């Protein structure tokens, strides 16, 4: 079977469509350079606290004093809190905060002073 020469019509249609798209893009107003919008603290799902334990805060893999220590934060450090839950009691306080500083770890709320709103429940 002999090969038929290709018709230039499909390419011409493609070029016309691309030109129309370019014209529409050039005619539309350029988007304004906007600064990034930060969500309010109550919807961002992160909260802050300051370590108030003089000897530092031990970070644990579960919200109990008997769980494995996986890190620590020094006195005065600012920590980022994802949420709170109930766990083992520390000096009468059974609340623990899930911290998001580099690794997910639990810190006793007894040793963390909230900065701003109290964390939401997990």
């Amino acid at each position: 079977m002999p090969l038929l020469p290709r018709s230039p019509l499909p390419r011409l249609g493609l070029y016309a469509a691309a030109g129309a798209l370019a014209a529409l893009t050039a005619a539309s107003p350029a988007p304004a350079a906007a600064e990034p919008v930060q969500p309010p603290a109550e919807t961002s799902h992160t909260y802050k606290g300051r370590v108030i334990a003089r000897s530092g805060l031990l970070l644990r893999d579960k919200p109990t004093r008997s769980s494995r220590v996986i890190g620590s934060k020094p006195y005065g450090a600012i920590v980022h809190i994802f949420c709170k839950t109930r766990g083992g009691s520390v000096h009468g306080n059974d609340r623990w905060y899930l911290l998001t500083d580099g690794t997910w770890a639990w810190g006793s709320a007894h040793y963390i002073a909230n900065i701003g709103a109290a964390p939401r429940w997990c």
Side-chain angles (χ1 to χ4, degrees):
M1 187 169 212
L3 293 176
L4 298 175
R6 289 188 177 199
S7 171
L9 291 180
R11 276 196 208 148
L12 185 59
L14 180 62
Y15 294 147
L21 181 60
L24 285 174
T25 304
S28 66
E35 293 182 25
V37 177
Q38 296 295 327
E42 58 271 12
T43 61
S44 69
H45 300 299
T46 59
Y47 305 87
K48 290 184 181 179
R50 182 180 309 276
V51 175
I52 57 173
R54 292 283 180 193
S55 60
L57 175 68
L58 295 178
L59 305 178
R60 300 184 179 271
D61 65 349
K62 295 183 180 104
T64 64
R65 291 181 78 173
S66 61
S67 63
R68 185 170 58 99
V69 175
I70 58 175
S72 65
K73 291 288 179 177
Y75 173 78
I78 303 296
V79 293
H80 295 88
I81 304 165
F82 184 72
C83 61
K84 66 183 172 186
T85 193
R86 294 189 191 281
S89 181
V90 177
H91 299 287
N93 186 342
D94 68 348
R95 298 215 174 123
W96 288 74
Y97 293 155
L98 181 57
L99 307 179
T100 61
D101 297 316
T103 184
W104 293 77
W106 293 97
S108 171
H110 179 76
Y111 298 116
I112 301 171
N114 293 332
I115 298 173
R120 66 183 178 90
W121 289 97
C122 297

